[in-house]
Amino acid sequence: MIRLLLLDVDGTLTDGTINLLELDSGTYEAKSFHIHDGLGIVAWLKLGREIAIISGRESKSLRKRASELGITRIFMGVEDKSIIARNIISGLNLSKDEVACIGDDINDLGMFRESSLCFAPANANPYMHTKADVVLSCRGGYGAVREMIEFILRRNEEEYQEFLALYE
């Protein structure tokens, strides 16, 4: 059973676009997050599962969105995602078989190595499609994380029904 999801951000939870807003008070970064991903993440957490975000970039908007969703494991500015992934997995006393991840580019391969089930959004770098176990139909930032969550839960009908019952 998958108990932990490792999530990249830019290109998976977002469409990969970075908007830099120039204001008189300084430069601000803006990111867009899809509501379907958010509902799936909240439901995953309500089911007693774990999520960790591992991002190569620092982002105030990511920290805000993660807080809204109840994600407490957020690692930003990470160069080697495999080290962070191993530490999280070890800290939760999980095995690789209990871990899935999603990534869209080669800097996510470290997470792939530490996970038993790897996903890539439809618009991921083509090389990542060759490394992923599942290439999703959704693009990053357009419900790819939600699609991944439902894919995992549908492998066990009882788990999927529990997921649906959260909102019925």
Side-chain angles (χ1 to χ4, degrees), residues 86-103:
R86 274 195 306 273
N87 289 340
I88 296 165
I89 294 163
S90 173
L92 291 170
N93 200 27
L94 299 175
S95 71
K96 182 177 179 175
D97 291 338
E98 297 173 294
V99 181
C101 72
I102 184 169

Side-chain angles (χ1 to χ4, degrees), residues 11-82:
T12 58
L13 276 172
T14 75
D15 67 3
T17 301
I18 298 170
N19 297 301
L20 297 177
L21 309 173
E22 291 290 332
L23 304 174
D24 290 339
S25 57
T27 302
Y28 297 89
E29 182 177 292
K31 295 179 187 257
S32 296
F33 298 93
H34 201 288
I35 199 75
H36 291 174
D37 289 332
L39 189 138
I41 288 167
V42 169
W44 181 266
L45 293 170
K46 283 183 178 181
L47 292 172
R49 309 290 176 87
E50 303 287 343
I51 291 181
I53 290 174
I54 306 176
S55 179
R57 293 179 48 85
E58 297 282 341
S59 170
K60 290 179 183 176
S61 56
L62 169 60
R63 191 168 302 285
K64 170 96 170 106
R65 183 63 175 148
S67 175
E68 291 172 352
L69 298 174
I71 300 171
T72 58
R73 290 181 183 82
I74 308 162
F75 303 86
M76 295 187 285
V78 175
E79 287 187 34
D80 186 344
K81 294 184 179 187
S82 64

Side-chain angles (χ1 to χ4, degrees), residues 1 5-6 10 16 18 21 38 59 64 77-78 80 84 87 99 114 116 143-144 153-154:
M1 173 189 292
L5 300 179
L6 301 175
D10 296 318
I18 298 170
L21 309 173
S59 170
K64 170 96 170 106
V78 175
D80 186 344
I84 300 297
N87 289 340
V99 181
E114 304 302 324
S116 65
L153 294 174
R154 281 188 171 140

